[in-house]
Amino acid sequence: MSSWFSGIPSPLEAEARSLQLALDWQSSQKQNNLILETDCKQIINCIKAKKFQNNEVGDILRNCVEKISTFQNCIVQFVTQQANQVVHSLARASRSF
């Protein structure tokens, strides 16, 4: 699954969009049990508190919470950047393209 976005998103928006795309993809695959991990504590805090900013990131996260509720079991959890080193390396490399 791929998507096109114009401009360069902020790191927070990129994390939120990544979560949204992962949820959309897993939904299309008819998955019911998910564990999604992110090293963005701000995303986790917003989702758990269900408090969203009135901006693009807030809209994306609001959509994610709605999507999460459609799964039987869906956990979105924080992992340290060190534990998420492979993804972090890919994200850093992608900024050079």
Side-chain angles (χ1 to χ4, degrees):
M1 172 179 275
S2 64
S3 294
W4 178 261
F5 302 103
S6 62
I8 298 173
S10 69
L12 184 61
E13 183 178 346
E15 289 282 348
R17 287 192 185 279
S18 295
L19 178 61
Q20 182 182 42
L21 289 171
L23 289 164
D24 289 344
W25 177 58
Q26 290 302 301
S27 179
S28 73
Q29 299 297 309
K30 308 294 187 218
Q31 297 294 321
N32 286 313
N33 301 301
L34 302 176
I35 298 174
L36 300 171
E37 298 177 332
T38 179
D39 61 5
C40 184
K41 188 72 168 163
Q42 192 173 354
I43 295 284
I44 298 298
N45 292 342
C46 288
I47 288 173
K48 289 189 185 255
K50 295 184 178 160
K51 292 186 178 178
F52 312 105
Q53 299 173 3
N54 289 323
N55 59 20
E56 184 72 19
V57 173
D59 292 342
I60 294 167
L61 292 177
R62 196 173 293 107
N63 177 269
C64 288
V65 168
E66 290 172 11
K67 184 66 77 171
I68 288 167
S69 70
T70 66
F71 295 96
Q72 285 180 349
N73 296 301
C74 182
I75 299 168
V76 181
Q77 62 189 20
F78 175 76
V79 293
T80 63
Q81 202 172 66
Q82 186 176 13
N84 201 18
Q85 190 60 44
V86 172
V87 174
H88 179 66
S89 296
L90 289 171
R92 181 178 289 165
S94 71
R95 292 186 350 205
S96 64
F97 289 100

